[in-house]
Amino acid sequence: MFRSLIRTFVPMKLINWGFIGCGEVTEKKSGPAFNEVTGSKVVAVMSRTERRARSYAERHHVPKYYTDAQELINDPDVNAIYVATPPSSHATFAIMAMKAGKPVYVEKPLAASYDECVRINRVSEETGIPCFVAYYRRYLPYFQRVKEIVQGGVIGNIVNVQIRFSVPPRDLDYTSEETLPWRLQPAIAGGGYFYDLAPHQLDLLQDIFGVITEADGICANCGHLYKAEDSVSACFRFESGVPGSGSWCFVGHQSAQEDCIEMIGEQGTLSFSVYNYDPIRLVTSEGSTEIVVPNPPYVQLPIIRSVIEDLQGIGICTATSVSATPVNWVLDRVLGKF
């Protein structure tokens, strides 16, 4: 279904990043991490609003700022691009960067549709320029421990996987259509909160069990607060043969609030959260154990380090546009976008 890209990219010793977009995610989750890795620094940022671009540059001591993405990409001092905009523009900016010969690190999901992901991969293959995706959770110590337990056979062969996620509406969900957050505007986000939050869960599971090759779903708008789906049920099967299911509700009562992935094995169960980082819970015939695993202050630091080391030719980052594309395939199948 998805083939690997041929890499002809020549490694770089120094990575000078240009940010396209400097919103909330760049403030703490990702932005500072780029300067924490040897041989990497942020040299320019871009926002359509000059005030925002200038403010970010001044607060984070970035020497240059732009209001035009092409100008930032063309800057000779910039040799790598971080795309931190809403999904609808990911494909455009990623392709612009790769055609300019500059590798890209894109926020998740890779794009607002599976078809756009395919376009990104095609350009990456044609140019030989790598594109990485910010599925940073697979690199965090918390989820590395989950993968270690599963692959170590602690709960035996996995026979079923379940995703359960429910949250009450947010205050912003009650605003008028004109002021709705972009995550609730399908033309910008690809869908509603499902398209924004489920990608991390699906990427983690595919990193452990392999690509999902069958997927279907039912989506509904039960709360009628906005036009996007607010309740989703899905079933899927991994290439390994393991079946799974998922339930997402974004208008549930507080009493139903849940953030859990449960893996059922022949010798026990393993459950963990994706967004709350609750203690990992392991249950076997020997009893129940809770495992606490702390994460770094900048949660994207481990994956950003991996991306930089890949670009420097001293490591390999597995979170590529090719590995990220199956996530969008599943999202679009579940939402009936095909």
Side-chain angles (χ1 to χ4, degrees):
M1 187 186 303
F2 306 99
R3 60 192 177 120
S4 298
L5 304 182
I6 299 173
R7 293 284 295 275
T8 59
F9 178 73
V10 178
M12 304 181 295
K13 184 177 181 181
L14 300 176
I15 318 297
N16 295 328
W17 293 93
F19 289 5
I20 298 179
C22 45
E24 180 183 359
V25 70
T26 66
E27 291 289 346
K28 293 183 179 180
K29 287 184 178 181
S30 62
F34 287 90
N35 291 321
E36 292 288 316
V37 184
T38 301
S40 169
K41 62 180 179 179
V42 183
V43 299
V45 295
M46 172 267 167
S47 174
R48 290 177 300 175
T49 305
E50 181 179 358
R51 177 184 56 79
R52 176 177 291 180
R54 182 176 64 250
S55 172
Y56 188 95
E58 290 174 350
R59 286 183 292 105
H60 295 277
H61 310 290
V62 178
K64 301 180 184 179
Y65 64 88
Y66 294 92
T67 55
D68 183 271
Q70 190 66 65
E71 288 184 9
L72 177 138
I73 291 171
N74 291 341
D75 187 330
D77 292 332
V78 173
N79 60 9
I81 305 296
Y82 171 36
V83 178
T85 60
S88 61
S89 58
H90 286 184
T92 298
F93 293 139
I95 289 170
M96 286 167 58
M98 289 186 290
K99 286 188 173 181
K102 301 184 180 184
V104 195
Y105 177 62
V106 185
E107 269 304 323
K108 65 83 201 163
L110 174 57
S113 71
Y114 168 75
D115 288 342
E116 289 185 348
C117 294
V118 173
R119 286 179 54 218
I120 291 172
N121 288 332
R122 186 179 299 119
V123 174
S124 182
E125 184 175 27
E126 291 171 351
T127 61
I129 303 299
C131 177
F132 304 96
V133 185
Y135 282 121
Y136 63 88
R137 279 177 166 80
R138 67 163 83 168
Y139 279 84
L140 286 175
Y142 180 95
F143 301 106
Q144 291 277 307
R145 183 72 177 109
V146 168
K147 188 175 182 179
E148 189 178 282
I149 292 170
V150 173
Q151 295 185 339
V154 178
I155 60 172
N157 292 324
I158 307 299
V159 295
N160 196 271
V161 177
Q162 300 173 5
I163 303 172
R164 300 190 298 273
F165 190 86
S166 179
V167 289
R170 307 179 188 188
D171 290 342
L172 286 173
D173 300 350
Y174 294 96
T175 58
S176 64
E177 186 173 343
E178 293 75 21
T179 56
L180 272 180
W182 63 261
R183 289 178 175 83
L184 291 175
Q185 300 180 45
I188 298 175
Y193 285 130
F194 173 73
Y195 220 89
D196 181 54
L197 297 175
H200 272 305
Q201 298 161 324
L202 294 170
D203 178 73
L204 283 169
L205 293 177
Q206 292 190 110
D207 185 51
I208 296 173
F209 298 109
V211 171
I212 291 173
T213 56
E214 299 176 54
D216 205 347
I218 296 175
C219 56
N221 186 308
C222 299
H224 306 294
L225 300 177
Y226 39 79
K227 291 182 178 180
E229 73 288 338
D230 59 24
S231 295
V232 177
S233 292
C235 58
F236 44 85
R237 188 193 306 272
F238 299 92
E239 60 182 345
S240 60
V242 175
S245 62
S247 173
W248 294 263
C249 180
F250 303 100
V251 289
H253 186 263
Q254 183 70 35
S255 62
Q257 190 159 345
E258 186 174 17
D259 170 17
C260 179
I261 292 182
E262 184 172 22
M263 299 174 179
I264 302 172
E266 295 177 332
Q267 299 173 21
T269 62
L270 180 69
S271 58
F272 59 95
S273 64
V274 174
Y275 290 95
N276 295 333
Y277 304 112
D278 296 328
I280 300 166
R281 188 165 184 263
L282 172 65
V283 181
T284 66
S285 57
E286 297 179 358
S288 176
T289 304
E290 289 195 343
I291 304 167
V292 177
V293 183
N295 287 318
Y298 305 132
V299 290
Q300 289 203 30
L301 178 58
I303 190 174
I304 288 172
R305 186 185 304 279
S306 180
V307 168
I308 291 167
E309 290 178 351
D310 191 309
L311 295 177
Q312 293 173 331
I314 59 176
I316 296 176
C317 179
T318 61
T320 65
S321 59
V322 170
S323 77
T325 295
V327 172
N328 282 78
W329 183 84
V330 176
L331 296 173
D332 287 5
R333 288 283 300 178
V334 170
L335 293 183
K337 293 174 66 174
F338 281 106

